[in-house]
Amino acid sequence: MTITLYNTATRSKQPLEPIEDGKVSMYVCGPTVYDRAHIGNARAVVVFDMLYRLLRHEYGAESVTYVRNFTDVDDKINARAAEEGRPISEITEETTQWFLDDMAAIGALEPNEMPRATAYVPHMVKMIEGLIEKGHAYAAEGHVLFKVRSYADYGKLSGRSVDDMIAGARVEVAPYKEDPMDFVLWKPSDADTPGWDSPWGRGRPGWHIECSAMAYELLGERFDIHGGGNDLTFPHHENEIAQSKCAGHDFANIWMHNEMLQVEGKKMSKSLGNFFTVRDLLDQGVPGEVIRFVMLSTHYRKPMDWTEQKRVEAEKTLVGWYWMTEDAATGEVPAALIDALRSDLNVSKALMEMHLMAKNGDAAGLLSSMTLLGFPAVNQNLSPSLLEKVQRTNAAPDMLDSNSDLQLFQKKLESLRADALVSKDFSALDDLKGKLGAAGVEVRMTKEGVTLSPGPFFAIENLEVLK
Ligand code: AMP
Ligand code: ZN
């Protein structure tokens, strides 16, 4: 039952070998709480939720510890509070609850521990004191800075050298820094900014030290997996490693990073008008299960594109699956599905397996797979809007007929290939292959023959137009 995961630190896949036999511990960087989570934030949550669910399935729910923090001290939060003329704690409490509600709506389980940074400031101060004692940090003008050059492996995770970073970056060189690369562990607060008493005066922690301190308090000196979006690899995770290693901790064994989310092929941004939050989608009537399906359909290490077409097709697929499994009894999760998930969380492959189960009428296998992927059963909190569509469906979903359609196209491709081998004109073959690909069908051609299988976004309607 080995799970293989891609480790950013070694740039290779490796088997998960828990530090403590039979138990797994994981830390994932959580949100800064000042606004609604956007769908990019949701991708990271769904990816690590899927991993958490797999780990619970493999090791037992009580043997997995998942920690995800809330960053509730940050200059963006201070700015938001000032802008709205409201107390900071009101903003952070409200946003934290929004986050939990929105993530629950897309099927994310709550981690075992959700530490808030403001509750761990004394632990951060202690860690910073230790770093100063060991010569890895220094105090200057009310700040404390981490001495990057005191940690020889700095840059290893992200594959950068300190000298290149200095040459390439426009690092703000504050007068109190000994070296432009040194980063803030502690900074002074004025009367209007939240602050805590410390050996360096009233101030507040930098962002990076928060994760090092909370991971240590809750998971100890070493733990199995550390996760986050790949935008955090540098500097956040590089800095976490430097702090924790210099404090004498082993820290994380495996580093996992999800790729970013785009919208209709473009970077999501407020200025492009393609920025939206999970709540926006839910309010527009997009069921949480549909959002989850779209998020899961792209492998976590590939950039993912949120498109309207995917949303529509995900809904169609889910309506069909729910229709089919409504009265099914759960069975064992099929081995092919587990194997896909164990292989660096290949959820897109898992979804393909589920299409095949649907096609072959394996309702029990499909239902247990849906449960493992975090899709609630019809009678367990399914979004009312999705439930209504399932109940309005009164015929077997189209996908049940897809078997014969796929066979039809397979025969067509085989005969086109035979022709092309004679005429040396492959255009008709390539054309149909391309169209099938665009319809969500995976086409594999080998010497042995042609095989077609439905991909995660396969929809039978797409085949109709090709007939
Ligand atoms: P931020 O909103 O920058 O505080 O990021 C919070 C979390 O969301 C981090 O784990 C980021 O890696 C992740 N994140 C932010 N933007 C995106 C995006 N476009 N796609 C995927 N993950 C993102
Ligand atoms: Zn972090």
Side-chain angles (χ1 to χ4, degrees):
M1 62 167 222
T2 310
I3 297 177
T4 316
L5 299 169
Y6 182 87
N7 185 355
T8 311
T10 57
R11 286 158 186 69
S12 61
K13 284 190 200 173
Q14 68 181 69
L16 171 64
E17 285 160 350
I19 293 161
E20 196 182 330
D21 212 17
K23 293 203 162 153
V24 186
S25 47
M26 167 162 85
Y27 185 96
V28 175
C29 297
T32 303
V33 278
Y34 65 101
D35 211 343
R36 286 273 181 193
H38 58 66
I39 59 167
N41 304 141
R43 181 177 195 198
V45 172
V46 171
V47 163
F48 291 101
D49 178 67
M50 190 58 245
L51 179 58
Y52 182 42
R53 286 174 182 273
L54 174 66
L55 294 171
R56 286 162 63 101
H57 179 268
E58 302 282 280
Y59 292 89
E62 60 298 326
S63 303
V64 185
T65 310
Y66 173 21
V67 179
R68 185 185 63 213
N69 65 304
F70 282 111
T71 300
D72 61 349
V73 48
D74 185 276
D75 291 347
K76 281 182 280 205
I77 305 174
N78 304 341
R80 180 59 56 97
E83 209 176 286
E84 297 186 6
R86 296 167 65 199
I88 285 173
S89 59
E90 207 179 290
I91 304 266
T92 56
E93 273 162 34
E94 177 183 72
T95 316
T96 298
Q97 196 54 51
W98 283 347
F99 182 85
L100 293 174
D101 293 345
D102 296 351
M103 296 308 115
I106 56 172
L109 298 171
E110 285 194 0
N112 305 91
E113 302 271 0
M114 297 188 281
R116 294 162 193 232
T118 49
Y120 287 81
V121 177
H123 306 86
M124 298 180 216
V125 168
K126 203 164 150 229
M127 196 166 190
I128 296 171
E129 284 179 310
L131 289 170
I132 296 177
E133 263 164 46
K134 288 184 174 174
H136 291 294
Y138 56 93
E141 298 178 29
H143 293 74
V144 181
L145 293 129
F146 184 90
K147 211 183 268 190
V148 165
R149 296 214 189 247
S150 75
Y151 177 56
D153 282 341
Y154 192 83
K156 222 174 159 188
L157 178 76
S158 55
R160 304 162 187 232
S161 83
V162 176
D163 292 326
D164 289 351
M165 283 187 253
I166 291 180
R170 281 174 291 164
V171 206
E172 166 213 351
V173 189
Y176 46 81
K177 283 191 183 180
E178 286 177 9
D179 187 294
M181 282 313 290
D182 293 350
F183 61 86
V184 170
L185 298 172
W186 188 264
K187 57 187 169 186
S189 293
D190 60 24
D192 299 329
T193 334
W196 289 259
D197 289 330
S198 82
W200 319 287
R202 186 174 171 278
R204 59 195 191 281
W207 171 33
H208 317 297
I209 193 71
E210 149 190 347
C211 291
S212 285
M214 293 191 290
Y216 173 60
E217 288 308 318
L218 296 168
L219 297 175
E221 290 191 5
R222 43 200 307 233
F223 52 95
D224 296 301
I225 301 168
H226 191 310
N230 71 350
D231 57 329
L232 301 182
T233 314
F234 182 84
H236 184 53
H237 291 163
E238 202 73 75
N239 293 353
E240 283 186 24
I241 292 175
Q243 296 160 160
S244 293
K245 292 272 190 189
C246 290
H249 307 157
D250 259 345
F251 213 41
N253 258 356
I254 295 184
W255 283 84
M256 292 179 67
H257 291 98
N258 63 276
E259 254 286 357
M260 294 290 102
L261 173 143
Q262 299 189 315
V263 174
E264 306 284 351
K266 296 202 178 72
K267 190 181 152 92
M268 183 169 55
S269 83
K270 288 195 171 134
S271 59
L272 285 175
N274 64 353
F275 177 95
F276 45 98
T277 65
V278 172
R279 182 50 54 183
D280 291 336
L281 289 175
L282 294 168
D283 286 349
Q284 287 161 23
V286 181
E289 296 81 6
V290 169
I291 302 175
R292 185 174 181 90
F293 187 104
V294 176
M295 295 287 170
L296 288 175
S297 61
T298 302
H299 190 266
Y300 77 93
R301 284 194 291 114
K302 293 201 178 122
M304 97 150 257
D305 200 11
W306 176 278
T307 65
E308 176 59 13
Q309 192 189 347
K310 283 186 186 175
R311 184 193 68 70
V312 170
E313 286 176 7
E315 184 169 293
K316 251 182 242 165
T317 299
L318 279 173
V319 168
W321 288 359
Y322 275 118
W323 188 90
M324 187 172 164
T325 55
E326 199 170 357
D327 301 314
T330 39
E332 286 273 298
V333 182
L337 188 110
I338 292 286
D339 287 347
L341 296 178
R342 283 180 186 154
S343 169
D344 195 28
L345 220 57
N346 195 344
V347 189
S348 29
K349 172 93 186 321
L351 291 174
M352 263 182 241
E353 295 295 340
M354 290 161 77
H355 275 293
L356 289 172
M357 292 173 211
K359 201 177 84 167
N360 298 329
D362 178 9
L366 183 58
L367 181 60
S368 49
S369 304
M370 287 169 74
T371 306
L372 179 55
L373 263 58
F375 295 105
V378 166
N379 55 7
Q380 286 173 346
N381 283 330
L382 183 63
S383 296
S385 59
L386 194 60
L387 182 60
E388 196 196 305
K389 286 188 174 124
V390 175
Q391 286 170 342
R392 264 195 276 129
T393 304
N394 51 14
D398 293 341
M399 68 188 63
L400 298 182
D401 306 326
S402 65
N403 208 0
S404 57
D405 279 343
L406 286 179
Q407 273 171 10
L408 183 102
F409 283 105
Q410 184 210 4
K411 296 251 146 45
K412 230 179 191 168
L413 278 179
E414 276 174 352
S415 96
L416 283 175
R417 182 163 75 158
D419 293 348
L421 286 172
V422 176
S423 67
K424 303 286 177 224
D425 176 4
F426 288 83
S427 54
L429 177 67
D430 288 343
D431 183 52
L432 182 59
K433 222 173 108 181
K435 283 181 176 151
L436 285 167
V441 180
E442 312 257 319
V443 182
R444 234 164 298 148
M445 288 194 173
T446 63
K447 277 196 207 101
E448 284 70 44
V450 177
T451 48
L452 298 184
S453 48
F457 280 107
F458 170 68
I460 189 81
E461 296 75 13
N462 299 344
L463 290 186
E464 288 304 314
V465 294
L466 296 181
K467 274 190 199 159

